[in-house]
Amino acid sequence: MSKITADSKILHHAIADAKWWRTAVIYQIYPRSFADGNGDGMGDLIGVTSRLDSLAELGIDAIWFSPFFKSPQKDAGYDVSDYRQIDPLFGTNDDLDALIARATQLGIKIIVDLVPNHTSDQHEWFKAAVAAGPGSPEREYYIFRDGKGKNGELPPNNWNSIFGGPAWTRLIGPGGKPEQWYLHMFDSTQPDLEWNNPVVAEEFENILRFWFDKGVAGFRVDVAHGMVKRDGLPDHKEHDKDGKPTPHLGLTPEQSEERVPYWVQPGVHEFIRRFRKVADEYEDRALCAEASVSPLNRLKLWVRPDEYHQTFNFDYLETKFESAALKNIVTESLVEFGSVGAGSTWVLSNHDQVRHATRYGYDHGKVPKQGDGIGPDYPQPDEALGLRKAQAATAFMLGLPGSAYIYQGEELGLPEHTTLESKYREDPTFFRTKGERVGRDGCRVPLPWESAVNASNGFSATGLGWLPQPESYHRYARDVQRGVAGSTLELYKRLIAVRKEFNLGAGEFSWHDSLTSETVLAYSNNGVLVVTNFGPDPLALPKGEILATSQHDLWVADLLEANQTVWLKQ
Ligand code: TEU
């Protein structure tokens, strides 16, 4: 708390001609829920293409798509059965070509999702491995082991799935005879690949080339911290209070790769470098790691000059909306990533997290653990407070140097669906924990486009939606915010426009000490002074032209209220 120091040294130097990914505002599309073009209630690529103009208007530089590849959809597409085909649910490969062509006209780059830690159990490789039997070369694409115990009835080690239950499933052979076990860190339909098999690495290099050749600008790499497991697959040594091995999403600062033998193993860097080499065969392509690694002085090893271009900054996402905590994490991010020559990324929401407009509607400590989600039985958030803080937090974030990720719907201020009925749940977490953890569906609900035109607020022309929206969503629809001063949408547009105008992504950053206190945080970046008031008292503003603000009456008042941010011209 008291780590705030009074220094105003430059923590990020202005960069001339920064590469696009260093400064980009990247918009995450969750394909199921962005826009439905064919009326079946499921989002699709033609739906996205038809709505691309609204993203150009928002001012984003790139879109990252969660997976739209062929998949049985057991984990909403993160279970890929063919890495080179678009799933018919979302359209065709031609639809993607058309989408990329239109996006290119609008100056928007396309980033796709690579899922290298595991495939679907319906992938040809896994089907062949099951058929070929123990000891076959086909089994060596995955992590098959004999069980422990007299008859192999016990799993090979104590690892648990991130979605709940054991990380091992035993195959049943012909005639009902139980045989080997296979490893799956996620759902049992997502067998983990064996990255020490050279065929696996080669295949993924070719998948990268396949999509780069089609014109994609980059990849977000799923579970990048999990691809390589510790030799010998030793037991996981972290236990909860009941003595059960706890599944961890990633490595926390207290943990080591010896104790959690399935995350962050040193062997992974060889494969990162191979991915990077493939990206470097092309011009201007970028790779972003989804690596749950903390603290940042460990994570920074992933973005050394010959490794990933960038990595999600989940420590930032998890930071309390509070002056001292934010000051520390921003400083740490700029210093640590900067020490290896990388830029920082910033993110507050994605398809695995409770939306930040809802997280901030709770006391920080009351937000359920990442991935557990919120159901009707959980205490409900303060929606108005959450939205206000979310706007202030986004305005704080979008002024920082580096690249910012925004998740579809946050530009509308969408809250999580926190009262979704169990019958609609699709997240495997819900099923694997028998409802104890409701999972992530609440942040994956279809977007509202036109208020009250039909039951899904224009998401689909038919009013259908694969998940129902909460009643409140008609108030957040894009058409009721467009052109309306003080709306979340107009705030995002303004912030992104000013960010671009002042080149904040590549700007010179320092803390503004004389304004900073336990309740106020201020920084300057390329001539823009960003001030956030965490409250409770209103703050008299320094003089300066208001460039953007989350407080829409600030243009007439001169007091910055609690939980508000302003950008002033210096
Ligand atoms: O997530 C990986 C991850 O480490 C977590 O974010 C975790 O999946 C989630 O929080 C569980 O509660 C990636 C994807 O983003 C996620 O959607 C997939 O389910 C997962 O990998 C498996 O592919």
Side-chain angles (χ1 to χ4, degrees):
M1 193 76 49
S2 55
K3 253 171 79 189
I4 286 188
T5 51
D7 59 11
S8 56
K9 65 172 192 273
I10 296 165
L11 287 174
H12 187 274
H13 289 274
I15 315 170
D17 304 322
K19 290 286 197 186
W20 68 269
W21 61 81
R22 264 196 94 115
T23 63
V25 174
I26 301 171
Y27 183 93
Q28 179 188 358
I29 288 190
Y30 196 66
R32 304 178 140 240
S33 300
F34 184 75
D36 174 17
N38 69 1
D40 65 355
M42 178 61 67
D44 48 39
L45 297 185
I46 55 169
V48 174
T49 306
S50 73
R51 301 280 195 182
L52 274 182
D53 287 8
S54 59
L55 296 185
E57 191 180 284
L58 182 59
I60 54 138
D61 302 296
I63 296 170
W64 148 41
F65 280 93
S66 279
F68 41 40
F69 309 107
K70 199 145 187 290
S71 159
Q73 303 290 327
K74 298 289 186 200
D75 183 21
Y78 281 96
D79 49 320
V80 181
S81 56
D82 184 340
Y83 288 84
R84 292 179 178 80
Q85 286 296 323
I86 303 290
D87 195 289
L89 201 57
F90 302 122
T92 62
N93 286 29
D94 289 345
D95 292 341
L96 184 66
D97 290 341
L99 191 159
I100 294 177
R102 178 69 189 134
T104 307
Q105 284 171 352
L106 294 170
I108 296 173
K109 297 186 190 307
I110 301 297
I111 297 169
V112 297
D113 210 314
L114 186 75
V115 186
N117 178 68
H118 46 264
T119 69
S120 158
D121 63 351
Q122 297 307 304
H123 191 282
E124 288 308 321
W125 279 355
F126 193 75
K127 291 200 278 189
V130 170
S136 61
E138 287 85 349
R139 288 238 163 150
E140 284 165 20
Y141 288 56
Y142 294 90
I143 304 178
F144 282 92
R145 293 291 183 276
D146 293 334
K148 285 186 176 159
K150 233 179 37 212
N151 302 307
E153 71 281 9
L154 299 173
N157 68 22
N158 72 351
W159 299 1
N160 277 336
S161 155
I162 304 309
F163 294 154
W168 295 92
T169 291
R170 194 170 191 188
L171 285 182
I172 305 297
K177 205 170 157 282
E179 48 121 309
Q180 282 193 304
W181 298 72
Y182 65 90
L183 178 71
H184 52 87
M185 291 313 303
F186 295 88
D187 191 52
S188 58
T189 60
Q190 295 166 293
D192 280 50
L193 284 163
E194 175 52 84
W195 271 82
N196 292 316
N197 182 339
V199 186
V200 170
E202 270 161 41
E203 171 66 357
F204 275 87
E205 288 173 334
N206 288 330
I207 293 166
L208 289 174
R209 291 190 185 100
F210 179 85
W211 293 109
F212 279 144
D213 287 339
K214 288 203 172 296
V216 313
F219 285 83
R220 172 263 192 195
V221 180
D222 189 61
V223 203
H225 58 301
M227 285 159 56
V228 175
K229 277 78 183 175
R230 197 164 189 80
D231 274 352
L233 309 181
D235 274 357
H236 166 31
K237 299 208 179 53
E238 302 287 336
H239 293 82
D240 65 18
K241 56 180 177 356
D242 306 321
K244 292 200 207 100
T246 35
H248 285 278
L249 301 174
L251 220 51
T252 61
E254 314 70 56
Q255 294 169 341
S256 66
E257 74 236 12
E258 287 87 28
R259 294 183 71 78
V260 186
Y262 45 77
W263 297 144
V264 198
Q265 299 302 310
V268 76
H269 293 279
E270 173 197 338
F271 300 111
I272 304 177
R273 293 193 176 102
R274 287 177 64 169
F275 286 173
R276 176 61 183 252
K277 280 209 179 98
V278 175
D280 287 347
E281 290 167 14
Y282 297 79
E283 220 174 299
D284 252 8
R285 313 298 164 103
L287 302 171
C288 176
E290 189 223 17
S292 293
V293 182
S294 185
L296 298 179
N297 67 9
R298 264 213 284 224
L299 183 59
K300 74 178 181 193
L301 301 178
W302 292 57
V303 288
R304 288 175 289 190
D306 59 346
E307 300 201 30
Y308 286 109
H309 297 81
Q310 56 176 218
T311 181
F312 290 115
N313 189 344
F314 292 128
D315 281 3
Y316 179 77
L317 183 149
E318 277 161 20
T319 300
K320 232 175 166 169
F321 181 68
E322 184 218 80
S323 178
L326 274 174
K327 184 169 184 193
N328 288 336
I329 188 67
V330 170
T331 301
E332 186 185 336
S333 304
L334 296 175
V335 169
E336 295 299 348
F337 290 126
S339 73
V340 291
S344 186
T345 61
W346 313 104
V347 62
L348 289 170
S349 281
N350 67 32
H351 67 293
D352 292 329
Q353 308 274 346
V354 171
R355 284 181 174 277
H356 67 285
T358 296
R359 295 203 309 271
Y360 295 144
Y362 290 95
D363 286 344
H364 189 73
K366 298 268 166 52
V367 181
K369 229 172 81 203
Q370 194 275 319
D372 288 5
I374 295 169
D377 301 335
Y378 197 78
Q380 295 296 302
D382 179 336
E383 194 169 319
L385 178 69
L387 177 59
R388 183 177 166 122
K389 283 189 175 181
Q391 291 176 341
T394 299
F396 177 85
M397 174 180 95
L398 285 176
L400 296 170
S403 135
Y405 279 82
I406 56 184
Y407 176 50
Q408 66 176 36
E410 66 167 88
E411 78 279 22
L412 306 175
L414 287 189
E416 183 92 355
H417 193 334
T418 53
T419 55
L420 189 69
E421 290 172 68
S422 297
K423 64 178 182 194
Y424 295 115
R425 298 261 169 211
E426 293 209 5
D427 185 348
T429 312
F430 178 78
F431 301 102
R432 290 185 63 86
T433 64
K434 303 197 171 51
E436 197 188 309
R437 294 158 58 196
V438 294
R440 301 160 293 170
D441 295 306
C443 64
R444 300 174 172 182
V445 171
L447 295 190
W449 289 88
E450 284 95 27
S451 182
V453 292
N454 57 31
S456 58
N457 292 300
F459 163 72
S460 173
T462 56
L464 294 172
W466 70 283
L467 287 176
Q469 295 167 345
E471 199 278 324
S472 66
Y473 267 29
H474 70 92
R475 288 193 273 115
Y476 293 89
R478 193 167 305 251
D479 69 335
V480 297
Q481 299 197 36
R482 200 156 168 252
V484 176
S487 69
T488 312
L489 180 61
E490 291 305 321
L491 171 66
Y492 269 69
K493 280 194 210 163
R494 180 79 192 145
L495 295 168
I496 294 171
V498 179
R499 179 182 168 84
K500 199 160 282 173
E501 186 189 333
F502 286 81
N503 199 15
L504 301 187
E508 181 178 287
F509 175 97
S510 55
W511 293 114
H512 195 293
D513 300 316
S514 57
L515 275 169
T516 295
S517 70
E518 288 286 312
T519 57
V520 175
L521 198 47
Y523 61 80
S524 41
N525 184 3
N526 267 9
V528 177
L529 176 65
V530 176
V531 186
T532 298
N533 182 5
F534 298 85
D537 301 323
L539 175 78
L541 279 183
K543 293 251 167 303
E545 181 194 336
I546 297 174
L547 294 168
T549 175
S550 60
Q551 180 179 329
H552 58 100
D553 72 351
L554 189 63
W555 309 88
V556 283
D558 55 4
L559 286 179
L560 187 68
E561 303 286 340
N563 302 316
Q564 302 285 9
T565 296
V566 64
W567 291 15
L568 298 168
K569 194 168 177 180
Q570 276 180 313

